[in-house]
Amino acid sequence: MGWFRPSDDTAPTLVSVLHKGSSSAAGAGALLSSRYVLTCAHVVSLALGKDRENTEQPRSSDRLSLELHDEAVTHRRMARLAVWVPPRPSPRGALGEGDLAVLELDEPAGASTRPVAWQPMTERAKVRAWHASGARITGADTTIEISDTWYYYADADLSGASIQEGYSGSPLFKKDTPAVAVGLVIEHVVNHGPLSDRHTSRRTLALPWQRIREELARKEARRVLDACLPPASPDLGAVPDNAVDLLLELFEGAELKRHARLLAPKLGYRMLSEEPDPAALSLEEELAVLLFTEKRALATLVASLTKAVREDRRKTLNKLLALGCLVEGVRLLSVGEHEELRKILRRVNSAHPGLFCRAARRVLEFDSRTPDWLDSTDMTESELAAAAEDLDGYYDYSLEDGDVPRMPRLLRLAVFLSAAVADKGTRDELNTWCENVHKRLGVDRSLLIDCRVLASSWATFRRRPAARISVALSRSDSDRERYDCRIWLVRKGRVPHRVAVGDGPFTAEEIGRKIDGAAREHRNGGDEPAPWIEVVVGREDLHVPVDAWTACSVLDRLAHLGVPPPPGQHEKSRVLGAEYRVALRLREYADRADREDERCRSLRRRWEAGRAAPIVIRDKATDVDAVDKAVSALEGVHRDTAWAVLHGDPKDRHYFLEVCLALGVPVVLWDREATGLEHAQRLEDIVGGVSLSDVPDVVQGFRKAVHHDGEPFAARPAMVWDDPDMPLPPLPDYCDPPDAPRNLERLAAR
């Protein structure tokens, strides 16, 4: 053993093999790798409800339920039998042989779990076992005493916890190296005779690792053996050339020992205060091994030195960092940076599902490798952690011209996320994290600034769909329950294309079906998952519930795909707001051209500012001071805010809706069914903490939950979305009334 030893509090991952259909444990197990668990054959038999002495191999359909205890977190997994070594008589001893089983997990163990490392069992080794419950308080210490032809015997002092029923299958971990085991507990030896001072004992039957390895080799379980971890030992072969010299150049005298002692506990190690075995490596050599075998050791050391290192040593530090590119497995982030980023990402993922992957697609746009998770739309916490770890593995921190590092992908991703999140606190945390990491890496600040400019542009651009279905809607003069309707396909930079819908007026359901048909015929391209429906209305129609109009029926859609309806089946309708992102847009607001020009300039300025958080207005329209306060805010501190959320009774909301639209706020959101401020929380539950770019998807998801999934939510969100870069459809030309319908097509072709 050398200078660095695993900390005494480094807790190994414990495994419980549960009784079938129960939460109680039949025995323990050892995590061999992310896929395999080692235990006793008799533990498997007990778990399946069979006798302890059973030798019959379980069926291939049998599944066992396991719990993996990762400190305070428990992971539930299902497993099947992979290797079966039943108990058998021994020609060399009275206690038999075998009694082993290997289980294969249906899905990998969590990323934070720690497989057991193995080394041969030797006499006089002090070891510790745990009960199958996985409770840390059940740790029982014993000492390997003597070996038999197959087993070893372990005897314990008559104090503390004892190995007894329920410890079978537990790894026997070395007390001085908690992550390394030397064998399995098979059973405790019971003395059934009368007890006396000469018979009292705590003896355990232990199966050594060398016997386990022989049995797995005999069963040709090569994949299992290859997955088993040997104990880590210092090996200079894993260290890049020049690393030791750089350490000696970086530290003077006692500095090396001091910084090594500070680094050790951050990585789960303790450092000896005295010189180790003379045969061990020197401190600088073993520290170099630690830096390039422990994945976050190098970054953690550099993080502790960044603020204290002298300017003349910064280049030496950069050279040491750059060596990490040469070693597979070395990670970009320090232990502290990694933990802080994981906490922030959990909040970001909760407020903005799918944002992590959208930002990653942009950051990895020109990357040669495409991760499997890149197209995920709703990542779990464990999937998010694995994706961040995957990017952290892209160690693309390298030096250009031997001096200036590039911006690594994970840092660029964090910058893009900070540009898109809604919550100011989260955004500030991300920005601070990026600042600290860029300083620690020695990245030129101009690169960080350039990345922020690109991220801001991306965050603004992704709020704008490439194409949309634009519906010009107005109530019919002849029948106020019906509507005149024109539908256009609008693309940025192109002349709007008129979609034929026939002569009106139409009912709401007829219009809904026509919009659905147009949207299906003219699909959006790019990264847009579904067409965007923009309903252009006059001021008097801003409260028309277009999002709740019927789009189609399920049976109609199946019939279109060639599936005939079953006899007697009732139709179930789908609504526009659940099928598509539906928003309103105001055709005009003011009569005077100069005010309309001013409003357009305000619209454009607010969009380009890219502010992600809204202004929330919950004032009374009858209160002159409240109105003055809202207008002052929209012209002052919220001059560049791009969206507003309105609360209050319908009259107050309608007034402040007009105020917001007049002052050029592009996006306004309100609850159409709210009757007062007491209903404000209903809308906050939908869009509170959501970024503007995610609002259309969040609102569509809510509408789908209400109309398709039958969720009992009272809110009915309505939304105005006005993008000045997307042209409005042309107005009808009534200069030549008899020719008016043809003039529409003529205008569209201009």
Side-chain angles (χ1 to χ4, degrees):
M1 298 296 292
W3 289 89
F4 299 99
R5 310 288 176 88
S7 298
D8 295 333
D9 60 353
T10 301
T13 296
L14 306 178
V15 180
S16 301
V17 182
L18 305 182
H19 285 286
K20 190 172 184 179
S22 171
S23 59
S24 64
L31 187 64
L32 292 177
S33 68
S34 62
R35 278 290 186 184
Y36 295 111
V37 168
L38 176 70
T39 187
C40 301
H42 77 262
V43 169
V44 173
S45 296
L46 291 173
L48 294 175
K50 300 178 181 179
D51 293 335
R52 179 188 180 94
E53 294 77 18
N54 170 66
T55 60
E56 182 182 352
Q57 181 168 335
R59 300 187 302 269
S60 59
S61 59
D62 286 329
R63 286 289 186 272
L64 292 110
S65 181
L66 308 181
E67 287 184 343
L68 278 57
H69 305 281
D70 181 18
E71 295 183 349
V73 180
T74 296
H75 308 273
R76 293 295 296 265
R77 292 290 187 272
M78 298 300 293
R80 66 173 186 86
L81 185 70
V83 179
W84 177 251
V85 183
R88 62 175 182 266
S90 173
R92 299 173 287 181
L95 294 175
E97 296 179 356
D99 200 4
L100 280 175
V102 176
L103 308 176
E104 184 175 0
L105 302 177
D106 287 351
E107 57 178 303
S112 59
T113 56
R114 289 166 300 284
V116 178
W118 298 91
Q119 70 181 43
M121 185 179 287
T122 58
E123 293 180 6
R124 308 308 305 165
K126 295 186 179 300
V127 293
R128 176 172 292 170
W130 270 274
H131 187 267
S133 65
R136 299 292 168 182
I137 197 173
T138 63
D141 296 340
T142 189
T143 303
I144 306 299
E145 294 292 354
I146 56 176
S147 64
D148 193 0
T149 53
W150 188 259
Y151 297 107
Y152 275 67
Y153 299 103
D155 289 339
D157 296 332
L158 296 180
S159 64
S162 63
I163 296 175
Q164 52 186 302
E165 194 72 29
Y167 280 77
S168 292
S170 169
L172 287 161
F173 292 98
K174 297 185 68 175
K175 285 191 66 177
D176 63 348
T177 316
V180 176
V182 295
L184 286 187
V185 173
I186 295 297
E187 63 177 322
H188 64 292
V189 179
V190 180
N191 182 357
H192 293 288
L195 297 177
S196 71
D197 61 341
R198 294 185 180 274
H199 290 138
T200 302
S201 67
R202 286 181 170 181
R203 174 155 287 186
T204 299
L205 204 59
L207 185 58
W209 171 244
Q210 49 267 43
R211 301 285 184 265
I212 296 170
R213 194 173 52 217
E214 288 175 15
E215 285 291 353
L216 294 179
R218 187 177 292 115
K219 285 290 184 177
E220 298 183 349
R222 177 53 53 192
R223 283 201 306 170
V224 178
L225 282 170
D226 289 344
C228 294
L229 295 176
S233 58
D235 178 15
L236 276 173
V239 178
D241 295 340
N242 201 36
V244 175
D245 294 336
L246 287 174
L247 281 175
L248 293 174
E249 184 180 333
L250 194 61
F251 299 112
E252 294 178 351
E255 284 184 344
L256 180 67
K257 183 174 288 188
R258 181 168 64 87
H259 284 287
R261 184 170 287 111
L262 292 173
L263 175 67
K266 297 176 182 178
L267 304 172
Y269 287 87
R270 56 187 171 86
M271 182 180 158
L272 298 185
S273 57
E274 301 175 355
E275 294 283 338
D277 189 316
L281 298 174
S282 65
L283 177 56
E284 61 269 17
E285 290 174 329
E286 192 170 334
L287 178 58
V289 173
L290 188 69
L291 294 179
F292 294 97
T293 54
E294 282 288 335
K295 61 183 180 182
R296 302 201 183 279
L298 179 60
T300 304
L301 175 67
V302 175
S304 67
L305 293 174
T306 299
K307 293 181 180 179
V309 71
R310 297 201 310 260
E311 188 63 33
D312 60 328
R313 297 188 189 179
R314 180 68 224 197
K315 288 188 177 181
T316 304
L317 199 60
N318 283 353
K319 291 176 183 177
L320 190 64
L321 264 177
L323 290 179
C325 303
L326 307 176
V327 180
E328 185 177 357
V330 172
R331 294 295 189 257
L332 177 76
L333 301 184
S334 69
V335 171
E337 291 164 349
H338 178 251
E339 285 302 314
E340 185 180 359
L341 182 63
R342 284 191 62 179
K343 290 177 184 177
I344 298 173
L345 289 182
R346 283 196 290 269
R347 294 203 301 275
V348 171
N349 195 51
S350 176
H352 309 278
L355 177 61
F356 182 92
C357 290
R358 287 198 293 272
R361 283 198 292 272
R362 176 63 180 84
V363 169
L364 300 177
E365 189 173 8
F366 303 108
D367 203 274
S368 58
R369 180 192 163 202
T370 304
D372 295 337
W373 49 263
L374 206 57
D375 292 323
S376 299
T377 55
D378 189 10
M379 301 183 83
T380 64
E381 187 173 317
S382 59
E383 290 170 339
L384 180 70
E389 183 79 9
D390 190 24
L391 281 182
D392 199 4
Y394 286 104
Y395 203 106
D396 60 340
Y397 173 94
S398 62
L399 297 180
E400 297 175 354
D401 301 325
D403 190 22
V404 182
R406 298 182 302 173
M407 281 275 289
R409 295 169 178 84
L410 192 56
L411 180 55
R412 282 189 280 140
L413 174 65
V415 172
F416 273 73
L417 291 176
S418 70
V421 294
D423 181 66
K424 184 179 184 301
T426 302
R427 187 164 61 251
D428 290 344
E429 281 188 71
L430 272 170
N431 285 336
T432 301
W433 184 90
C434 292
E435 288 282 353
N436 292 337
V437 173
H438 114 268
K439 288 177 183 176
R440 196 261 298 170
L441 293 175
V443 173
D444 191 282
R445 181 162 182 77
S446 64
L447 297 178
L448 181 63
I449 293 172
D450 288 346
C451 187
R452 281 177 171 162
V453 171
L454 291 173
S456 177
S457 176
W458 168 79
T460 303
F461 175 78
R462 73 188 193 89
R463 292 195 290 265
R464 292 169 162 160
R468 65 180 67 189
I469 301 297
S470 189
V471 181
L473 193 69
S474 60
R475 291 187 185 272
S476 171
D477 292 332
S478 59
D479 184 353
R480 301 301 289 175
E481 297 300 317
R482 291 174 174 260
Y483 298 86
D484 293 319
C485 171
R486 302 186 311 280
I487 299 178
W488 307 81
L489 174 65
V490 182
R491 290 188 177 92
K492 183 179 178 181
R494 297 189 187 181
V495 174
H497 169 71
R498 178 77 181 274
V499 178
V501 295
D503 297 328
F506 306 102
T507 64
E509 182 169 343
E510 289 172 339
I511 292 174
R513 291 179 179 273
K514 290 178 183 296
I515 293 173
D516 179 66
R520 293 187 177 282
E521 181 180 355
H522 302 282
R523 295 281 181 181
N524 251 341
D527 197 28
E528 296 298 316
W532 176 292
I533 310 298
E534 170 189 82
V535 183
V536 183
V537 295
R539 294 168 59 183
E540 69 281 0
D541 290 325
L542 280 169
H543 303 285
V544 174
V546 181
D547 55 272
W549 288 357
T550 298
C552 63
S553 74
V554 177
L555 297 182
D556 282 346
R557 185 162 299 175
L558 291 175
H560 181 73
L561 297 173
V563 180
Q569 181 70 47
H570 296 290
E571 288 194 340
K572 182 176 181 179
S573 298
R574 295 182 178 271
V575 301
L576 287 172
E579 292 292 289
Y580 310 103
R581 287 161 296 173
V582 176
L584 301 169
R585 189 174 181 186
L586 194 63
R587 171 169 289 284
E588 61 174 324
Y589 189 81
D591 297 330
R592 291 175 54 192
D594 58 335
R595 284 193 56 193
E596 185 63 25
D597 288 344
E598 181 182 342
R599 178 172 178 266
C600 287
R601 287 194 296 271
S602 179
L603 279 171
R604 192 171 302 280
R605 186 191 68 249
R606 292 177 187 271
W607 269 119
E608 292 173 353
R611 292 283 180 86
I615 176 175
V616 179
I617 300 177
R618 46 197 309 138
D619 299 315
K620 287 283 187 182
T622 54
D623 186 342
V624 176
D625 291 337
V627 174
D628 181 64
K629 177 184 174 183
V631 172
S632 297
L634 286 167
E635 292 180 334
V637 66
H638 286 283
R639 183 174 183 271
D640 293 332
T641 296
W643 65 303
V645 178
L646 308 181
H647 298 303
D649 65 41
K651 289 183 179 179
D652 292 332
R653 291 198 312 267
H654 183 75
Y655 181 81
F656 282 109
L657 171 61
E658 294 206 13
V659 169
C660 290
L661 295 177
L663 295 178
V665 179
V667 179
V668 187
L669 196 70
W670 68 97
D671 179 0
R672 193 167 52 237
E673 296 298 319
T675 59
L677 288 176
E678 65 273 13
H679 293 152
Q681 191 58 43
R682 302 192 315 196
L683 191 58
E684 285 297 317
D685 289 341
I686 303 172
V687 298
V690 175
S691 173
L692 175 57
S693 53
D694 293 318
V695 165
D697 292 328
V698 169
V699 170
Q700 183 192 353
F702 176 84
R703 289 166 172 168
K704 181 179 183 299
V706 172
H707 294 286
H708 289 184
D709 303 336
E711 297 290 345
F713 299 124
R716 293 296 181 267
M719 179 169 59
V720 169
W721 190 283
D722 197 342
D723 186 342
D725 279 351
M726 294 298 287
L728 285 163
L731 287 166
D733 183 358
Y734 293 122
C735 292
D736 184 8
D739 198 34
R742 289 188 294 278
N743 282 340
L744 288 172
E745 282 77 9
R746 177 167 53 81
L747 279 171
R750 285 179 181 173

